[in-house]
Amino acid sequence: MRGHPDRWPFRHKLNLLVGVPLTVVAALLAYLIAEQTGQSREAANAARLVRESVEVAKLVDGLAAEHQQAVLLSVRHEAAGGGDSSTSAYRTAQERVDAQVERVREAFGERLPETEAQALKNVEGLAGLRDTIEDGYLPASNIDPAYTHASGQLIDGLALDRNPELATTFTGNLLDSLLRSAAAHSEFETAVFSASTGDSNALIEVIGAIGAYDEFTHQAERFTRFATEAQADTFAGIRYTTAQSTISRQYAELQIDPGAAQAGSPAEVRASLDRALDSYDAYRDQARTRLSITTSLIDQIADRAQHASETAAWRALLLLGSALIGFALWLVLAVLVRRSVVRPVVALTGAARQVADVARRELARVADDDAEDEGPPRLREMPVTARDEIGELAKTFNDVQTTAAALLERQVLSRRNVAEMFGNVGRRVSNLTSRQLSLIDAVERGETDPALLERLYSIDHIAVRLRRNADSLMLLAGIHEAALDAGPTSLTNVVRAALGQIEGFQRVELRARSEAVLEPEVIGDLTLMVAELLENAVSFSPADSPVEVTVAADGADAVIVVSDHGLGMSAERLAEENARLIRRERLDLVPTKVLGLFVVGTLARRWKIGVTLSRTPGGGVTAEVTIPSARLVTGSTTAATSTPALSALAGTALPDAGPSGAPATGPVPAPPVRPAAVPADTAGPDPLPRRSRRPAAPADHARAGDPDPGATATRSGASPAPAVPAPRSSHAPAGPGASSSARPLRRRVRGATLRKSGPGDDRAAVLPDRPRVVDAAAVRDELDAFEAAVERAHRESGAVPVPAPNPPAQDQNDPPEGAEQ
């Protein structure tokens, strides 16, 4: 769990830092708003309860009036000596009380507390007392407790001092003290009036008046503690009225001589009752004033509670609005701050990703051996938007970018310099080998010693192989120089040219089942590719095992199959090399000791030629090269053919015509032609491949004493192919089983330059001696006339000629022409 926050995204951490305080503040504000809303609701309920309590105050005042009428009726019964007394005033008071009880129920409705409902029932339960009072005399000591208790239950039933909705604003205590003080004052008034009537219980009434006045004083002080100054002044109006002065004077008289208040006879009772009735209007005025002040104060208390409710509601709304505005401002500020932190980090991440992508593309590009160096990458500089830690990070990242770009630029420059160095070395070696081959040609033309010629041929062959290595070096350096002066050439001649560039060519057996013609721009690279495959096949197979090369057709495509019978490769190694032939990579990143397959893969990808390595049945490796039809000359033959004219020139025997009279097609072997006057001591291993002379300069052959172009080279067990002038881009060793082409390459014959005569000189029957110096222009004209005659023979015989373009001029960087075995 300790490391868990470290794995959180940066955005989540910022959200957490902003969200947690925001949530806490929101919770506090919600609590305050809920509290204010609760206070508003409680104050509203308190205001409603206070307004409803007015009816209870009126009911208490009605009970006080009924109480006075009950006392007055009881005194009249006593003064009349048991006579009838009028009860109309008492019953009217009862009806008012009963009507007020119903109004109390209606005012509270369903919200009427149970205690208050029970108090109302107790008021209605005064019916028995009322009947007793109406029927006869009942002492005041029995009447007072019933009405006093009923009034107290009405106030207690409201439970104003225990209501939590009223406790917060002290409304309950204020209203409770007001109602109790009003009830106590009404009891005080009733007790003073009852004691003034001269009743036999007058002394008890005086004591009750003293207790009621003390209760009123206590509740008045309590009300003053919770009430405002204005409310206290209003409440003081109960004491300072004219009626209250009359009542206070009577109360003072009763306190002076309480015993004199009690009458001794009915006559005295009647006299006291008459005096009391004279001042009864003051009691009624005081009751109305007290009720008016009480209801006024109750309305003020209700208004105060309503104001508190509204204030709490407004305070809740203000808190809610302030909270919303604060949240909005906080949210905006948090978003701005978050963006100011996140955007630079995101920008840095994007820049880092861009650097990674550039580095990835650079790695992919440097792994592509055919890609061009486009210079160092240009990285976007990070803007420094703040002067804080993130700004310092942006500056540091810009420094890292600058350093990375400088390193990449240095690597690109170093790679370009190395490639240019390789290319220059390759060009120099190629130029030197071309010059060397030219010098060797010149020496060979003037040399007649067979042993020396054999050594010159060995040097010639090594120079050709050296130039192939120079071509591979330029290829690895990324240099592609197409031979623009070459013409279309058959695949068989390409294979022969490749044989002229390897060592151990004597073991190669060529089988031509197709004479597809290759486009000029692919000839040089395909020759190098086949040479590398043949070099590997010869190098990694036993010296006594043959290497088969088959040229065949696969639909519209052409296929060259090279098979050896060596140890071969493991399945893993084959898969690795096949993958290397497909994917693009740089040699400096994937070093290998076997560069041949690397060169083959590079050339295969360049020309979209398929190359596949597989196991040869019985052991060894088979390389299959598939040349797409797009790289072949349209209309080229797909089977080995031999026209009558070419067969006649080459000294071959035509097969019998078929039933239709058409000449048969297929390779026809020619009898071997032995070179004349070859010393016996020169016999030895198979001769080296010899490059044919340039077709454009036949005079050189004449000066050097070379035989006719139709002369062929022989080696033990090999049947030479017929020779005609061939394009100079082809190297044509005649391997076993090689088929004749329309224009096969000329072959150098060992010892053909020796000038001998005699009965055993077969050379005299092939070609007469020529003078040393011959006009080159005349020889060229003769060659053109010869080619025209060949074409005319083709037309007359109906054979299909194979295109043989005139060879263009030789470039010093091109491979040597006509290399052969």
Side-chain angles (χ1 to χ4, degrees):
M1 293 298 294
R2 182 179 180 183
H4 183 65
D6 297 335
R7 297 192 297 270
W8 290 352
F10 186 66
R11 297 173 184 267
H12 293 177
K13 294 179 181 179
L14 288 180
N15 293 338
L16 184 64
L17 291 177
V18 175
V20 170
L22 191 63
T23 303
V24 172
V25 174
L28 293 177
L29 288 176
Y31 174 76
L32 292 177
I33 293 173
E35 184 179 4
Q36 292 298 321
T37 304
Q39 291 181 1
S40 175
R41 183 174 58 254
E42 292 175 359
N45 294 334
R48 182 173 54 192
L49 179 61
V50 170
R51 295 188 188 280
E52 293 168 351
S53 65
V54 172
E55 302 298 332
V56 177
K58 292 179 180 180
L59 179 58
V60 172
D61 183 76
L63 282 175
E66 182 181 350
H67 184 193
Q68 290 178 3
Q69 292 296 328
V71 171
L72 182 59
L73 182 59
S74 177
V75 172
R76 285 177 176 174
H77 279 296
E78 183 180 2
D84 294 334
S85 300
S86 176
T87 60
S88 59
Y90 183 50
R91 290 183 176 179
T92 300
Q94 293 177 11
E95 292 175 356
R96 290 177 180 175
V97 169
D98 293 339
Q100 187 62 31
V101 168
E102 295 300 327
R103 282 194 290 271
V104 170
R105 288 196 175 104
E106 291 177 358
F108 282 91
E110 296 179 355
R111 296 181 305 277
L112 181 68
E114 294 181 0
T115 55
E116 187 66 16
Q118 184 62 38
L120 293 177
K121 290 179 181 180
N122 293 335
V123 172
E124 293 175 347
L126 295 175
L129 179 63
R130 292 171 180 173
D131 294 339
T132 302
I133 294 173
E134 291 179 358
D135 292 340
Y137 171 73
L138 186 65
S141 58
N142 294 332
I143 297 174
D144 293 339
Y147 282 100
T148 302
H149 182 69
S151 298
Q153 282 186 334
L154 288 175
I155 298 174
D156 293 338
L158 294 178
L160 298 176
D161 55 346
R162 299 185 300 274
N163 193 331
E165 295 181 349
L166 303 177
T168 56
T169 57
F170 305 104
T171 303
N173 292 325
L174 186 65
L175 182 59
D176 183 76
S177 61
L178 176 63
L179 293 177
R180 292 184 185 279
S181 62
H185 200 277
S186 65
E187 291 175 8
F188 167 75
E189 295 171 3
T190 302
V192 171
F193 176 75
S194 178
S196 299
T197 59
D199 186 17
S200 57
N201 295 318
L203 183 59
I204 298 175
E205 294 297 330
V206 172
I207 296 172
I210 295 173
Y213 189 78
D214 291 339
E215 178 67 16
F216 168 73
T217 303
H218 171 70
Q219 294 297 334
E221 292 177 354
R222 180 185 171 202
F223 175 79
T224 304
R225 288 198 305 269
F226 298 109
T228 63
E229 186 177 354
Q231 291 173 346
D233 294 341
T234 302
F235 181 79
I238 297 176
R239 297 179 179 182
Y240 304 106
T241 61
T242 304
Q244 179 63 26
S245 299
T246 301
I247 297 172
S248 297
R249 180 175 51 80
Q250 292 179 357
Y251 175 63
E253 292 175 356
L254 292 174
Q255 284 181 327
I256 294 173
D257 188 6
Q262 185 173 354
S265 62
E268 293 179 356
V269 172
R270 284 194 295 272
S272 299
L273 178 60
D274 292 338
R275 288 194 300 271
L277 290 176
D278 291 339
S279 60
Y280 186 70
D281 292 338
Y283 288 93
R284 299 309 307 158
D285 292 340
Q286 179 63 23
R288 286 192 293 270
T289 301
R290 186 187 68 254
L291 180 61
S292 176
I293 292 175
T294 302
T295 55
S296 175
L297 289 174
I298 290 175
D299 290 339
Q300 292 181 18
I301 295 172
D303 292 340
R304 179 182 175 182
Q306 186 65 32
H307 178 70
S309 174
E310 293 176 354
T311 302
W314 278 107
R315 190 179 294 112
L317 291 177
L318 288 176
L319 283 175
L320 180 60
S322 301
L324 293 177
I325 295 174
F327 278 136
L329 294 177
W330 194 346
L331 184 61
V332 171
L333 181 61
V335 169
L336 293 177
V337 173
R338 184 176 180 274
R339 289 183 63 185
S340 66
V341 175
V342 172
R343 287 181 65 182
V345 174
V346 171
L348 286 173
T349 304
R353 188 178 293 110
Q354 181 185 6
V355 173
D357 293 341
V358 169
R360 191 180 299 109
R361 288 196 302 269
E362 181 68 13
L363 290 176
R365 188 176 63 82
V366 299
D368 186 354
D369 52 353
D370 292 334
E372 297 291 338
D373 285 336
E374 300 175 353
R378 302 301 178 186
L379 303 178
R380 177 174 56 88
E381 185 176 357
M382 272 297 302
V384 181
T385 57
R387 296 182 179 179
D388 54 5
E389 291 80 359
I390 297 180
E392 295 296 329
L393 179 60
K395 292 180 180 178
T396 306
F397 187 79
N398 289 333
D399 295 339
V400 172
Q401 284 195 146
T402 304
T403 305
L407 290 175
L408 289 176
E409 183 176 4
R410 182 171 298 179
Q411 290 180 0
V412 170
L413 180 60
S414 175
R415 190 163 53 248
R416 185 184 297 115
N417 292 338
V418 171
E420 186 175 356
M421 179 182 64
F422 281 178
N424 291 334
V425 171
R427 286 193 187 95
R428 290 181 181 182
V429 173
S430 180
N431 293 336
L432 291 175
T433 53
S434 297
R435 293 170 57 188
Q436 183 181 15
L437 289 171
S438 300
L439 294 175
I440 294 173
D441 281 343
V443 175
E444 287 177 347
R445 294 191 190 102
E447 184 59 47
T448 58
D449 185 5
L452 187 56
L453 279 175
E454 184 69 24
R455 295 177 182 177
L456 289 175
Y457 292 153
S458 299
I459 296 174
D460 185 299
H461 186 57
I462 293 174
V464 172
R465 293 171 57 196
L466 182 60
R467 186 162 63 179
R468 176 171 64 85
N469 292 333
D471 294 340
S472 299
L473 184 60
M474 288 190 292
L475 175 68
L476 297 177
I479 299 175
H480 179 208
E481 294 181 352
L484 301 178
D485 55 350
T489 305
S490 64
L491 286 179
T492 306
N493 288 340
V494 170
V495 175
R496 289 171 178 162
L499 284 172
Q501 299 181 11
I502 68 170
E503 187 176 5
F505 57 89
Q506 299 92 342
R507 295 164 44 201
V508 178
E509 298 178 358
L510 174 61
R511 298 182 180 90
R513 300 173 183 171
S514 172
E515 277 302 323
V517 178
L518 200 64
E519 290 183 346
E521 62 270 16
V522 194
I523 294 173
D525 288 345
L526 185 60
T527 302
L528 181 59
M529 179 192 299
V530 175
E532 294 292 350
L533 291 175
L534 290 173
E535 182 76 23
N536 287 342
V538 171
S539 301
F540 295 99
S541 61
D544 56 349
S545 65
V547 175
E548 293 92 1
V549 180
T550 304
V551 179
D554 184 10
D557 301 335
V559 179
I560 301 175
V561 180
V562 179
S563 301
D564 64 69
H565 301 279
L567 296 177
M569 300 181 183
S570 62
E572 294 78 7
R573 178 68 184 279
L574 277 175
E576 180 182 353
E577 295 299 337
N578 279 320
R580 184 169 295 170
L581 292 173
I582 297 174
R583 67 173 180 262
R584 311 170 77 91
E585 56 188 0
R586 293 186 67 96
L587 185 63
D588 53 353
L589 298 180
V590 186
T592 177
K593 295 181 179 179
V594 183
L595 298 180
L597 293 179
F598 190 88
V599 172
V600 170
T602 302
L603 295 175
R605 291 189 297 271
R606 175 183 296 176
W607 298 107
K608 293 180 174 56
I609 296 175
V611 180
T612 305
L613 301 179
S614 60
R615 293 181 62 88
T616 303
V621 176
T622 297
E624 183 176 345
V625 180
T626 304
I627 304 167
S629 58
R631 300 302 174 190
L632 301 177
V633 175
T634 306
S636 61
T637 59
T638 58
T641 61
S642 177
T643 63
L646 293 179
S647 298
L649 290 173
T652 59
L654 288 173
D656 295 336
S660 61
T665 61
V668 180
V673 179
R674 294 289 182 179
V678 178
D681 56 358
T682 61
D686 292 339
L688 292 172
R690 287 133 175 118
R691 295 175 297 104
S692 61
R693 294 292 174 263
R694 301 186 183 184
D700 297 338
H701 297 279
R703 288 193 299 270
D706 288 345
D708 185 75
T712 59
T714 61
R715 59 187 176 91
S716 150
S719 299
V724 296
R728 61 189 176 88
S729 61
S730 300
H731 304 246
S739 64
S740 61
S741 64
R743 294 178 60 87
L745 298 175
R746 295 173 296 167
R747 294 162 175 77
R748 185 183 303 278
V749 180
R750 183 173 59 184
T753 58
L754 298 179
R755 299 179 56 86
K756 289 189 178 183
S757 60
D761 192 0
D762 296 335
R763 196 175 150 273
V766 178
L767 182 66
D769 293 338
R770 295 183 180 180
R772 276 276 176 201
V773 180
V774 180
D775 186 10
V779 175
R780 187 177 297 108
D781 294 339
E782 292 177 1
L783 183 59
D784 293 339
F786 168 74
E787 292 179 347
V790 172
E791 293 178 357
R792 186 167 57 254
H794 287 167
R795 289 194 300 270
E796 292 175 356
S797 62
V800 180
V802 177
N806 293 329
Q810 170 75 23
D811 187 88
Q812 65 178 1
N813 290 329
D814 288 340
E817 57 181 358
E820 61 187 8
Q821 66 184 31

